[in-house]
Amino acid sequence: MTDHVQEQEMEIEALEAILMDEFKEIHSGESGLNTSKRCFQITLSPQDDDADQSTTTPVLLGLIFSHTEKYPDEPPLLNVKSIRGVHTSDLKILKEKLEQEASENLGMAMIYTLVTSAKEWLSERYGQDADADNDEEEESTKDEVIVPHGEPVTVDTFLAWRERFEAELALERAKLMPESALTAPKEKRLTGRQWFESGRATVKGATHVNEESDEEDDEEIDFDDDDFEDDEEDMLEHYLAEKSDSSTHSSMRAA
């Protein structure tokens, strides 16, 4: 004759040694089982045993059981509850699965077998979803683009920049003209456009104009504001590009 009580006690001791903190005794009133005998709860997650335990898993399942009088020659009382993140419909499916497996393992201690089966089911059902969420989060972090926020463009800031730009442009043109052309009398002075169109300018540091050539040009020439006036739309586009580059460099330095 089988000593059911002794066999049940030996199984409980083995489960305590194997599962440790995941195994605990609970009051029958919170078990959801119709019994006054001792009840136990085993906490399961879809994580592997060697996974980082410091990471909070989004899913936790409570597997509750109580030995019947003739267990293991008859199935134990079983219940499952969601500690965190398990859907109610999944609890029903899992409970039916475990009850079916219990009926197939009569005659031997089966709780650890049911624990293994429940953990595998939990990993298949929720483990992939958790991995997919983590992958999406990592991809989202990789694809995140830092948008630079520079100084907003206003009419005043554009006009101030335009004034500086025209001054710098005039200075660059002046550097390409020989000193004799800059110091010549107004009536003999060439405009910047006339100087470049005459073919006398080459690159920065071009040769000086022969003073005799200046004397041969008797036509009175005045500077025309239109000679140095750029199209406002082109200048605005240039200004915005310059501001964007400046903001990008600032963001990179801050990072």
Side-chain angles (χ1 to χ4, degrees), residues 35-149:
T35 183
S36 58
K37 298 189 68 175
R38 298 175 69 188
C39 297
F40 303 90
Q41 176 177 298
I42 301 171
T43 302
L44 303 175
S45 73
Q47 290 182 331
D48 294 332
D49 294 337
D50 57 352
D52 184 4
Q53 298 299 321
S54 63
T55 303
T56 302
T57 176
V59 175
L60 283 178
L61 173 76
L63 172 57
I64 301 171
F65 74 93
S66 178
H67 289 140
T68 57
E69 183 178 352
K70 295 182 179 181
Y71 173 88
D73 290 333
E74 63 183 12
L77 297 178
L78 296 173
N79 193 18
V80 289
K81 73 175 184 178
S82 173
I83 299 176
R84 183 192 305 130
V86 183
H87 304 308
T88 303
S89 57
D90 288 337
L91 293 176
K92 182 179 179 181
I93 294 173
L94 178 58
K95 183 178 180 181
E96 293 176 354
K97 171 182 171 62
L98 294 178
E99 288 175 342
Q100 176 64 30
E101 292 185 7
S103 64
E104 296 172 357
N105 287 275
L106 295 177
M108 59 181 182
M110 66 183 77
I111 298 301
Y112 190 75
T113 300
L114 300 179
V115 168
T116 302
S117 178
K119 191 176 183 68
E120 290 176 354
W121 179 89
L122 200 61
S123 297
E124 292 176 359
R125 178 65 182 87
Y126 291 94
Q128 294 180 353
D129 293 343
D131 292 340
D133 292 341
N134 292 335
D135 291 341
E136 290 179 2
E137 183 177 353
E138 290 178 2
E139 289 298 325
S140 176
T141 303
K142 291 179 181 178
D143 296 339
E144 183 179 357
V145 178
I146 299 177
V147 180
H149 299 284

Side-chain angles (χ1 to χ4, degrees), residues 205-220:
T207 58
H208 293 286
V209 179
N210 193 309
E211 294 182 1
E212 294 180 0
S213 298
D214 295 338
E215 294 175 356
E216 292 175 359
D217 190 356
D218 295 332
E219 181 181 358
E220 182 176 351

